[in-house]
């Protein structure tokens, strides 16, 4: 059997052990140990993220037939379409849960956590309102542009279509608006 030397622990031994076990407590002491970590406040960035996130979710939810037609034209085998639609359904379900989480977070918390959730919810509300604006309103707004602006938008649409092959239908009608 081994014999151990037993000695009384000094304050220096105690401090060394605290530094090994909890360096944060050793640095700041008991005054900062109970504080909750604060998140940084970025309500503008949170609003932009919420707007983009809601825009994608709204586009996916509204354009199911377009997505299905695109999948049928693509090279992905038909038996994998179920997985794509399952992933999109999961995106919609998770997004709904996340919106509810941010709503509860905004109601129940204070400070920076609340402002970040408020920014996300404001962005989601802005995207939802913009998705409800009829297309005729956009047409009327673009009709107010002068001829130079129309030509610039038309040339940008043409160059995007030529370089990427994308047809941006939201700007192609501007070229047909003439006086």
């Amino acid at each position: 059997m081994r014999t151990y030397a037993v000695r009384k622990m000094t304050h220096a031994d105690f401090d060394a052990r605290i530094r090994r076990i909890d360096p944060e407590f050793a640095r700041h002491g008991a005054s900062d140990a109970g504080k909750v970590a604060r998140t940084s406040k970025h309500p503008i960035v949170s609003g932009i993220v919420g707007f983009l996130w809601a825009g994608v979710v709204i586009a996916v939810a509204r354009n199911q037939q377009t997505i299905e037609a695109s999948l049928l034209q693509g090279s992905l085998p038909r038996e994998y379409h179920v997985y794509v639609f399952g992933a999109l359904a999961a995106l919609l379900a998770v997004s709904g849960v996340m919106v509810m989480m941010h709503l509860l977070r905004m109601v129940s918390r204070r400070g920076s956590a609340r402002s970040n959730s408020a920014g996300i919810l404001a962005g989601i509300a802005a995207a939802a309102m913009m998705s409800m604006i009829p297309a005729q309103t956009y047409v009327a707004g673009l009709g107010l542009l002068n001829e130079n602006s129309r030509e610039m938008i038309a040339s940008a649409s043409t160059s995007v279509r030529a370089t990427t092959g994308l047809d941006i239908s939201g700007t192609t009608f501007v070229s047909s608006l003439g006086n």
Side-chain angles (χ1 to χ4, degrees):
M1 191 160 164
R2 234 174 162 175
T3 59
Y4 294 100
V6 177
R7 70 178 180 91
K8 187 175 180 181
M9 183 184 253
T10 65
H11 193 43
D13 294 333
F14 178 77
D15 287 341
R17 184 175 174 137
I18 293 295
R19 279 193 300 277
R20 276 194 321 265
I21 294 173
D22 193 358
E24 189 71 23
F25 181 85
R27 261 186 257 124
H28 300 292
S31 62
D32 288 343
K35 287 187 178 176
V36 178
R38 306 288 290 180
T39 57
S40 60
K41 292 183 181 182
H42 298 293
I44 303 280
V45 175
S46 298
I48 292 170
V49 167
F51 182 82
L52 294 174
W53 171 35
V56 168
V57 169
I58 290 169
V60 166
R62 284 191 170 177
N63 298 321
Q64 292 175 0
Q65 290 81 14
T66 307
I67 294 170
E68 186 175 7
S70 175
L71 286 173
L72 290 173
Q73 292 175 356
S75 61
L76 187 67
R78 196 169 180 83
E79 61 266 10
Y80 296 122
H81 293 188
V82 174
Y83 297 121
V84 171
F85 282 112
L88 293 176
L91 168 77
L92 295 175
V94 168
S95 295
V97 170
M98 293 298 288
V99 167
M100 293 305 295
M101 183 194 75
H102 281 290
L103 187 62
L104 288 173
R105 187 176 179 194
M106 190 182 126
V107 170
S108 66
R109 296 222 176 143
R110 297 197 179 274
S112 59
R114 183 178 187 166
S115 69
N116 288 340
S117 289
I120 288 175
L121 291 173
I124 291 170
M129 286 190 318
M130 285 194 65
S131 70
M132 292 180 188
I133 295 174
Q136 297 84 8
T137 306
Y138 290 116
V139 171
L142 289 173
L144 296 174
L145 296 174
N146 63 14
E147 191 61 38
N148 293 332
S149 300
R150 289 182 194 159
E151 290 174 6
M152 183 182 70
I153 292 173
S155 67
S157 173
T158 305
S159 65
V160 166
R161 200 174 315 126
T163 57
T164 62
L166 295 175
D167 184 18
I168 303 174
S169 60
T171 58
T172 54
F173 64 88
V174 173
S175 60
S176 64
L177 291 176
N179 290 343

